[in-house]
Amino acid sequence: MTDRPTAPDPRPPHPAPDATPDLSSRDPDWWRQAVVYQIYPRSFADADGDGLGDLRGITRRLTRLSALGVDALWLSPFYPSELADGGYDVADPRDVDPRLGTLDDFDALVREAHRLGLKVIVDIVPNHTSHQHVWFQEALRAGPGSPARDRYVFRDGRGASGELPPTDWQSVFGGSAWQRVPDGQWYLHLFAAEQPDLNWDHPDVREDFRTTLRFWSDRGVDGFRIDVAHALTKDLEEPLRDLGDHAAGGEAALVDFAPGTHPFYDRDETHEIYRDWRKIFDTYTPPRTAVAEAWVPGARRALYARPDELGQAFNFEYLEAVWDADELRQVITDSLATAQAAGASATWVLSNHDVIRHASRLMLPPGTDTNAWLLSGGKAPAVDPEAGLRRARAATLLMLALPGSAYVYQGEELGLPEVADLPTSVLQDPIWEQTGRVRKGRDGCRVPLPWTTTGPSYGFGANGAWLPQPPSFAAYSVEAQDGVEGSTLELYRTALRLRRKLIDGETLKWAEDTPEGVLQFDRGDGWRCVTNLSAAPVPLPPGEVALTSAPLEDGHLPPDTTAWLTR
Ligand code: NOJ
C-alpha cells in the first residue's frame, strides 16, 4: 500500500464536555471513577495508509475522544512485534513498532492527550516476550544449561530421546504449552509458541521490568494495564507436575486447586512482584496507576487490586454475566463488596479486544457455544442487530451508573456488533491455527473502526484495512452518527457528560420493591438508575428523566431499556 495520508476527519468534533481539563492534575485518586477508553492501536486509525492503525492516527483523533468525555486512554501494545498475537508478543518493550510510529510520535501523543486532559495508560506484558526478543534469541544460540536459557523456562523432554514435552500443560490458545527447539530442549509458552514465558525467579527479568515501568512513567504515562497478571510466577521445582484432567489453559484450570497452589496460575508469591512495582509507581506524582488482567475468581482477583499492589483489577464476572436482573444484581453486589474489602474501586467492562462485542454477545441465549456461533458466521443463532444494539445501550447506561471505573472498548460507542462472518481466510488470531482451525478466535471484535460512511476503509485510512470491514459498518460510522439525535455516539457523549456531573461517592443503594426483572438503584445525592430486563414495559420510578437508552413508551420504561433519573 502507498503512503497517502489518511482520510480527513469528516466534521469537527463537538466541544469537550463541561469538565475543564486539568493538565497538572495531581489528584492521586483520579482513576477510582475514571472512564477509560481502550484503543487497539492497529484498528483505530491509520495515518500513513499502510492498512494498520498507528500512533499518529490516534493523535489526530484525540480531540474526538476528549469530546466523547472519557478520562483516560488505554493503549493496547504498540511495541515492536511480528504480530503473532496482535502485539501481545513484544520484541522490545521500550520502543514503538516502526509500522506504528516512533518514540517521538508516542511523546507527541502523550503531550496532546495531556493537553486535552486525558490520562494515558499503556499495556505491560510481563508473562512472556516475543520469540524475537534479544533475550530469547540469545537463549536459542547459547544452548542448554546456559545462563541465557535461565531467563525463560527451558527443560529437557521426556521419552527415550526427549521427544515428548516435559509436562502435559496446555497452552491457553490450544495444544501443548511446550515447543521443541532444534537442539532438542523444550520451552514453555502458555500462549502462542511465539510467546515464550519468562522465568520470574530470575533477577534480570525482575530488573528489566522495573526499567520498563520507569521508562514509560518518565515519558509521562499515567498508568499501566498488566497483561495476564496472575501467571508470572510458577512452581518450577523438579520434577514438574503433570496436571492430568486440569492441564487445559485458562481460568477453568484453577478449578479444583486450593487457592495459590496451581503450578502456574495465581500463585501467592506473584503478589511480591506487584508490591515491588507499587514502590516504583509511588515515586511519581501523582502515583502511577495499574489495573490487573487476572482471569481468577473474585476474591482472589481482589488481591491484585490491593492498594499496596496494582490498585485495580478488571471485573470479568460482570462481563460474563448474562442479561438477567437477578444475576446482574448479585454480580454487582459481590463486585462492590470484593473491591471494597480490598480497598480498591470496582471496575466494569462489557467489551474488550478478547471477547465478543456486547452488542452481539448479550443477545446470545445463555449457554450458547460462542465458538460454534462464530463458526456459523453469526447465523446460528441469528442475532437481530437492532435488538442487540438496544440491549447494549441499556447495558452501557447501567454500567456507567455503577460506582467505580468503567472501561469502554473502541467502537462500542458506535454500537458496533461483532463481525462474526469474517472468512476464515483472513483470520489473524493465533487461536485459529493453534487449535487446528477449530476455534475461530477474536478477530471479529478487532475489525478497524469506521469513521466515514464511504471510502476504501470507511475513513480508517486512505487505503484498505488489515481486516475487512463489512458494508454494514457505513451506518455505524462516526460520520453517520455525529450530531444525530438518538445515535449511540450521542448517547455515550451525553451519558459521560452527565456522569461527570452526577457522580457522588462510591456506593449505591438498591431499591427493594421493584417489579420482577427490574434493577433499580440510587447513587449519592439524587441519581437514580433503572433498567428493565423483563419482557413488558414497567412504570418509571419517581424522578426527573435525565437520559434513556431508548424512547419511553407512554411514560413507561420499555424492555431492554435503562433510564437515569434525577431528583
Ligand atoms: C491477554 C490479552 O488481552 C490477549 O489479547 C493476549 O492474547 C493474552 N493476554 C496473551 O498476552
Side-chain angles (χ1 to χ4, degrees):
M1 287 175 194
T2 60
D3 221 25
R4 280 191 279 144
T6 188
D9 205 2
R11 298 190 213 171
H14 287 201
D18 299 346
T20 317
D22 178 6
L23 314 194
S24 60
S25 172
R26 297 167 95 82
D27 174 7
D29 285 334
W30 67 265
W31 48 277
R32 289 188 73 89
Q33 303 224 55
V35 176
V36 182
Y37 184 94
Q38 181 191 354
I39 294 184
Y40 194 70
R42 291 171 174 84
S43 301
F44 186 74
D46 171 20
D48 65 9
D50 68 353
L52 268 189
D54 44 41
L55 296 186
R56 282 192 294 127
I58 297 170
T59 307
R60 286 184 193 174
R61 311 279 176 164
L62 285 181
T63 47
R64 289 205 155 266
L65 296 184
S66 148
L68 181 61
V70 300
D71 301 298
L73 323 170
W74 148 31
L75 302 174
S76 279
F78 48 81
Y79 316 113
S81 167
E82 65 170 344
L83 302 184
D85 180 22
Y88 283 90
D89 47 319
V90 179
D92 180 349
R94 297 190 284 276
D95 204 352
V96 173
D97 190 303
R99 287 165 297 179
L100 271 66
T102 61
L103 280 169
D104 285 346
D105 292 332
F106 180 81
D107 292 340
L109 187 160
V110 173
R111 252 193 328 272
E112 177 64 357
H114 286 171
R115 191 185 70 76
L116 293 164
L118 297 166
K119 305 279 189 191
V120 179
I121 293 170
V122 300
D123 223 306
I124 296 291
V125 188
N127 180 65
H128 42 263
T129 67
S130 160
H131 66 149
Q132 294 183 328
H133 190 287
V134 283
W135 276 358
F136 193 75
Q137 289 302 314
E138 188 189 339
L140 286 182
R141 285 192 304 273
S146 60
R149 286 216 168 167
D150 206 26
R151 296 192 189 111
Y152 292 89
V153 185
F154 277 90
R155 289 290 182 278
D156 293 330
R158 295 190 291 195
S161 52
E163 73 283 8
L164 298 173
T167 66
D168 62 357
W169 301 354
Q170 299 289 298
S171 150
V172 176
F173 291 165
S176 171
W178 296 95
Q179 176 76 21
R180 202 167 193 198
V181 299
D183 59 42
Q185 275 208 311
W186 299 73
Y187 68 86
L188 180 69
H189 60 90
L190 292 184
F191 293 88
E194 295 86 352
Q195 292 166 297
D197 277 48
L198 285 163
N199 170 15
W200 272 87
D201 291 337
H202 198 298
D204 286 359
V205 172
R206 296 201 178 217
E207 194 48 36
D208 197 65
F209 275 86
R210 290 185 195 110
T211 305
T212 297
L213 295 173
R214 290 193 194 99
F215 178 86
W216 294 110
S217 296
D218 291 344
R219 295 194 104 88
V221 156
D222 302 280
F224 301 96
R225 178 263 189 193
I226 313 301
D227 189 65
V228 212
H230 58 302
L232 275 47
T233 61
K234 286 148 185 130
D235 178 7
L236 298 173
E237 285 290 306
E238 294 294 341
L240 299 182
R241 327 176 227 168
D242 270 342
L243 290 175
D245 290 347
H246 311 295
E251 195 182 352
L254 284 165
V255 176
D256 293 341
F257 283 87
T261 63
H262 189 280
F264 50 84
Y265 285 138
D266 193 31
R267 296 187 62 78
D268 291 333
E269 60 271 22
T270 311
H271 296 282
E272 286 162 23
I273 297 169
Y274 301 130
R275 281 193 282 272
D276 178 49
W277 289 10
R278 171 53 56 190
K279 289 186 199 126
I280 296 174
F281 300 152
D282 286 351
T283 60
Y284 292 88
T285 308
R288 296 331 189 212
T289 66
V291 56
E293 188 227 15
W295 290 85
V296 299
R300 293 288 296 180
R301 188 187 61 237
L303 302 178
Y304 296 84
R306 287 177 289 195
D308 63 341
E309 297 194 26
L310 297 175
Q312 261 191 352
F314 289 126
N315 174 4
F316 293 123
E317 268 102 357
Y318 182 71
L319 183 151
E320 287 175 328
V322 298
W323 188 242
D324 171 85
D326 292 340
E327 179 166 336
L328 276 170
R329 179 170 167 161
Q330 193 61 52
V331 164
I332 292 168
T333 304
D334 292 350
S335 306
L336 288 170
T338 319
Q340 198 188 11
S345 67
T347 66
W348 312 102
V349 193
L350 283 166
S351 283
N352 66 30
H353 65 293
D354 289 331
V355 299
I356 293 173
R357 283 186 178 275
H358 68 276
S360 303
R361 190 186 68 238
L362 291 173
M363 291 306 287
L364 296 174
T368 301
D369 175 343
T370 51
N371 183 52
W373 179 72
L374 287 172
L375 288 171
S376 78
K379 293 195 174 65
V383 168
D384 171 3
E386 264 180 48
L389 183 56
R390 179 185 185 95
R391 194 168 276 185
R393 290 164 56 115
T396 295
L397 276 203
L398 167 62
M399 171 175 84
L400 291 176
L402 293 170
S405 66
Y407 286 79
V408 169
Y409 176 51
Q410 67 177 37
E412 68 170 77
E413 78 282 16
L414 304 176
L416 287 184
E418 182 80 1
V419 183
D421 58 355
L422 282 175
T424 55
S425 57
V426 304
L427 296 181
Q428 309 261 336
D429 189 340
I431 288 179
W432 174 241
E433 289 298 340
Q434 212 168 307
T435 57
R437 306 189 168 191
V438 168
R439 276 166 57 202
K440 205 171 171 189
R442 303 159 292 178
D443 291 310
C445 63
R446 300 173 176 180
V447 175
L449 291 191
W451 293 89
T452 54
T453 52
T454 54
S457 54
Y458 301 107
F460 166 68
N463 294 299
W466 67 280
L467 278 174
Q469 302 148 300
S472 61
F473 263 33
Y476 289 98
S477 67
V478 173
E479 183 180 22
Q481 300 194 42
D482 197 10
V484 175
E485 203 187 324
S487 72
T488 303
L489 181 56
E490 293 302 334
L491 177 74
Y492 269 73
R493 282 180 181 150
T494 309
L496 293 174
R497 190 185 67 232
L498 273 174
R499 177 186 153 99
R500 279 190 184 176
K501 274 198 201 141
L502 295 171
I503 269 189
D504 182 14
E506 277 190 40
T507 55
L508 62 70
K509 189 166 177 307
W510 292 106
E512 292 307 338
D513 46 3
T514 48
E516 181 80 17
V518 172
L519 283 179
Q520 186 189 319
F521 57 85
D522 287 346
R523 286 279 311 270
D525 192 22
W527 180 13
R528 174 164 290 169
C529 176
V530 53
T531 303
N532 183 3
L533 298 95
S534 80
V538 293
L540 272 179
E544 191 170 324
V545 176
L547 184 63
T548 60
S549 63
L552 299 177
E553 286 174 9
D554 297 329
H556 281 54
L557 189 67
D560 286 352
T561 307
T562 295
W564 288 0
L565 301 108
T566 52
R567 246 188 284 165

